[in-house]
Amino acid sequence: MSGPVTSTAAGQDNAVVELLSSLPVAEDLAARFAAAGHRLYLVGGSVRDAMIGRLSGDLDFTTDARPPQIVALLKGWADAIWDVGIAFGTVGATKHQHTVEITTFRADSYDGVTRNPEVTFGDTIEGDLVRRDFTVNAMAYDVVNRELIDPTGGREALQAKVLDTPATPQESFSDDPLRMMRAARFVSQLGFTVAPRVREAMAAMAGELTRITAERVQVELSKLLTGAHPRAGVELMVEAKLADVVLPELPAMKLEIDEHHQHKDVFHHSLVVLDQAIDLEDTPEPDLVLRLAALLHDIGKPDTRRFEEGGGVSFHHHEVVGAKMVRKRLRALKYSKEIVEDVAQLVYLHLRFHGYGSGEWTDSAVRRYVTDADHLLSRLHKLVRADCTTRNRRKANALQRTYDELERRIERIAAEEDLKRVRPDLDGNEIMRLLGLPPGPMVGKAWKFLKELRLDRGPLDHDEAVAELLEWARAEGVQPPGD
C-alpha cells in the first residue's frame, strides 16, 4: 500500500491500528509475549511505513526478552525460525507467509574504526530508540496497549517529511557512517528532505564512508536508484560530498558544459536523462541497469573534452572511455558481473543510433545494432530516447520520429530473419567436416567469418554458405578435402 503522510497525529495512530488489524499475526505475537511477561513493540521502519499507509507483511519488532527467550516464545508458533542474527540480538521467523524479525532492546556502542557495533542489550524501549539512525525510524508502537512511544519527535518529523537524527548528526554518523548513504536513500524512497544540520554533517563527514565496505555502500546506492525519487537522492549525494567517495565521476561531470549548451553541465543533463528513462520503464519493478546506464552514460565526457576552433566543445569517443570507466567503478562497488557488463555495454552503445542519420543505415548495419545490443535492445531503445534532452521541440520530434523508423526496420528485419538468433548458416561441426579440420582456433575463425557474412547479407542458402566458406578457406591457406 502507498499513500500520503497522514496529516494529524490521531490520524497516524489510527493508520497504525487500522493496518495492524489487517495483520493479526502482529497482535497474536504481541499477546504471546505479554502472556510470558515480556513487552513487544512494532518498531522503526515498520511504524514509519504504517503511518504513511504502506506497511508490508514484513514486520520489525523489539522486545525486552533476550534472544534465547525469543526463540523459546517463537517455537510452537512460527512456521519457521532462523537465528543467523542472534549474535546481534535478532531472531527471524515466518508465520502465514509473513516475515517477522524480533530484536532485543539494544544499547550499542561502536568501535570508531569500522561500523561494527559492540552489542550490549538494553532494558528500556526509550534507550533502544534513541540509538537509531533517524527520528522517523525511532518510534515504537505497543501493539497490546495501542500506544505510540516517540521520545525523539519522530511523528512531527514524519509530518514535516524531514530526516533528522535522534542524537547529534556528528554522533550518529560517527557511530555508523553508512547512515549518511541511508539518508540519501530515504530522500529517494520517501520524498523527504534532510534537516540543515544533517546536510552540514554529511558534507563534513563524507570521508568517513571509507570505513564502510563497498558491498554495503552498493546496497544503499541500489536502493536509492530504484526509489521513487532517485534524482533527489543523487543530488543530495553530490551536494553533501558523498558522491566524492562513492561515485566521484558524478561531481566531475558538474565541471563540463555539454556540447549543445542546453544544460548547466553534463551532470544536470544526466539527471534529466535519468528522469526520462524512468518515465519509459515498462517493467513491474524499477530497472536498476537502465537507471545506472542513464545516470552514467556520459561519465566519459570529462576525460574526452576538447575545445574546438570557434568556441565549440567536443567529446569524441566518450562512449568508449565511459564504458571502461563504468566497468572500473561498478566493479569497485562490487556489483555483479552481469550488471557491470550490461551497464557498460549500454554506455558503449548509446551513441550508435546517431550514425543512423535520416535512415541511411543498410540492413546489415541494423542487424549489427540488434546483435550488439542482444538482450539489452529494449533498454537501449529507452536509453537512446531518454538521451534526447534538447529544448528545441522540432529537433526533439525529428529525433523521436527517426528512432521510430529504426524500430520499425528492426521489427521488419526481425520478422523476416529471426534476429534474436543471428548465427552462421553453418555450424561448427559442418565447418570441420567441409574443411577437414579438427577442433581449434581455425574453426572459430571460420565461424566468425560466416557470422560476419550473415550480418552483412542476411540468411544465405546452404549451397551459397558452403561456397563462401570454401573460398574463404582457400584464401586462408586451408585446403578443403577434395580440392
Side-chain angles (χ1 to χ4, degrees):
M1 288 181 281
S2 63
V5 175
T6 308
S7 59
T8 67
Q12 289 175 334
D13 288 352
N14 290 337
V16 178
V17 173
E18 181 181 347
L19 285 167
L20 285 178
S21 68
S22 67
L23 294 170
V25 65
E27 292 190 345
D28 184 24
L29 185 61
R32 188 176 182 89
F33 272 68
H38 293 291
R39 291 163 287 164
L40 186 75
Y41 301 89
L42 190 71
V43 73
S46 291
V47 176
R48 179 200 70 220
D49 288 347
M51 286 184 167
I52 59 177
R54 46 177 274 170
L55 183 65
S56 73
D58 296 342
L59 303 174
D60 292 326
F61 294 93
T62 187
T63 180
D64 61 326
R66 293 321 194 228
Q69 296 169 313
I70 297 173
V71 172
L73 285 167
L74 290 174
K75 285 181 178 178
W77 177 85
D79 298 327
I81 301 171
W82 63 92
D83 59 3
V84 292
I86 200 165
F88 297 98
T90 299
V91 180
T94 56
K95 178 72 170 181
H96 301 326
Q97 298 183 324
H98 295 293
T99 299
V100 301
E101 286 195 349
I102 306 172
T103 303
T104 302
F105 294 159
R106 296 261 288 269
D108 297 343
S109 61
Y110 291 79
D111 60 18
V113 178
T114 69
R115 70 153 306 276
N116 297 322
E118 299 170 358
V119 178
T120 57
F121 297 133
D123 297 310
T124 67
I125 183 61
E126 292 80 8
D128 177 272
L129 295 176
V130 296
R131 53 162 286 278
R132 293 177 179 264
D133 53 2
F134 301 104
T135 59
V136 295
N137 296 330
M139 296 180 284
Y141 191 80
D142 186 330
V143 180
V144 173
N145 297 314
R146 300 195 172 186
E147 176 188 5
L148 182 71
I149 294 89
D150 178 19
T152 66
R155 177 158 53 188
E156 290 74 16
L158 189 61
Q159 288 175 320
K161 302 182 78 171
V162 172
L163 286 174
D164 203 350
T165 51
T168 67
Q170 290 77 11
E171 290 176 273
S172 182
F173 299 153
S174 179
D175 281 348
D176 183 2
L178 191 64
R179 289 172 173 172
M180 293 184 282
M181 281 295 296
R182 203 171 294 140
R185 187 243 293 184
F186 286 138
V187 165
S188 170
Q189 289 182 326
L190 302 174
F192 285 15
T193 59
V194 294
R197 69 172 191 158
V198 171
R199 184 185 296 266
E200 291 170 8
M202 290 169 69
M205 301 179 66
E208 294 294 305
L209 279 172
T210 57
R211 291 164 44 193
I212 308 300
T213 64
E215 290 86 351
R216 305 221 36 208
V217 170
Q218 179 246 102
V219 168
E220 292 297 330
L221 178 62
S222 297
K223 288 179 178 179
L224 183 160
L225 288 174
T226 53
H229 313 280
R231 177 174 180 165
V234 170
E235 288 176 323
L236 177 60
M237 280 182 59
V238 171
E239 292 165 6
K241 310 298 183 184
L242 305 185
D244 290 356
V245 179
V246 176
L247 269 176
E249 297 81 2
L250 290 183
M253 289 194 290
K254 290 177 69 69
L255 306 177
E256 308 301 325
I257 305 300
D258 76 76
E259 65 267 41
H260 305 297
H261 303 284
Q262 293 296 308
H263 303 287
K264 291 186 300 182
D265 49 40
V266 176
F267 174 66
H268 183 265
H269 162 76
S270 299
L271 293 178
V272 175
V273 175
L274 175 62
D275 284 340
Q276 294 184 166
I278 291 170
D279 289 341
L280 294 172
E281 286 181 350
D282 55 7
T283 50
E285 298 296 327
D287 189 338
L288 177 61
V289 167
L290 177 62
R291 295 185 183 198
L292 280 166
L295 181 63
L296 303 177
H297 74 285
D298 276 347
I299 66 169
K301 281 189 171 180
D303 285 357
T304 58
R305 181 176 63 166
R306 298 292 181 270
F307 295 101
E308 307 292 349
E309 290 185 13
V313 180
S314 68
F315 302 95
H316 296 309
H317 305 302
H318 76 267
E319 75 282 11
V320 178
V321 173
K324 292 178 181 177
M325 294 172 68
V326 161
R327 285 190 178 91
K328 181 178 179 180
R329 177 54 54 197
L330 296 189
R331 285 170 181 162
L333 287 169
K334 306 300 183 182
Y335 275 100
S336 69
K337 180 180 178 181
E338 292 76 17
I339 289 178
V340 171
E341 290 307 314
D342 284 354
V343 176
Q345 184 69 349
L346 286 170
V347 171
Y348 178 72
L349 292 175
H350 83 274
L351 282 186
R352 180 81 62 87
F353 159 71
H354 295 284
Y356 189 72
S358 300
E360 292 89 351
W361 277 5
T362 61
D363 284 357
S364 171
V366 175
R367 291 187 198 100
R368 291 180 185 279
Y369 189 74
V370 173
T371 302
D372 289 348
D374 195 27
H375 66 285
L376 298 170
L377 183 61
S378 176
R379 287 183 173 121
L380 183 59
H381 289 334
K382 297 179 180 68
L383 179 59
V384 172
R385 290 183 181 278
D387 195 25
C388 176
T389 61
T390 176
R391 297 191 187 104
N392 185 321
R393 183 47 49 194
R394 184 170 60 181
K395 183 177 179 180
N397 289 338
L399 283 169
Q400 297 298 344
R401 284 195 301 270
T402 303
Y403 205 85
D404 289 343
E405 169 58 24
L406 174 58
E407 287 203 58
R408 283 192 292 269
R409 285 187 67 187
I410 290 171
E411 290 174 4
R412 174 181 61 78
I413 297 172
E416 295 171 357
E417 302 180 14
D418 192 8
L419 284 180
K420 289 184 179 179
R421 292 197 294 269
V422 172
R423 299 179 64 81
D425 295 284
L426 305 174
D427 66 18
N429 289 328
E430 192 162 11
I431 290 170
M432 288 188 287
R433 181 181 64 78
L434 289 167
L435 300 185
L437 293 174
M442 186 56 71
V443 176
K445 194 173 179 181
W447 191 93
K448 289 178 181 177
F449 162 75
L450 290 172
K451 172 74 176 289
E452 291 297 312
L453 195 65
R454 171 72 170 77
L455 288 169
D456 282 338
R457 290 165 48 180
L460 306 179
D461 63 40
H462 183 269
D463 290 345
E464 189 178 6
V466 171
E468 292 286 353
L469 174 66
L470 295 178
E471 183 179 346
W472 172 86
R474 295 183 188 107
E476 291 289 320
V478 176
Q479 192 72 19
D483 267 17

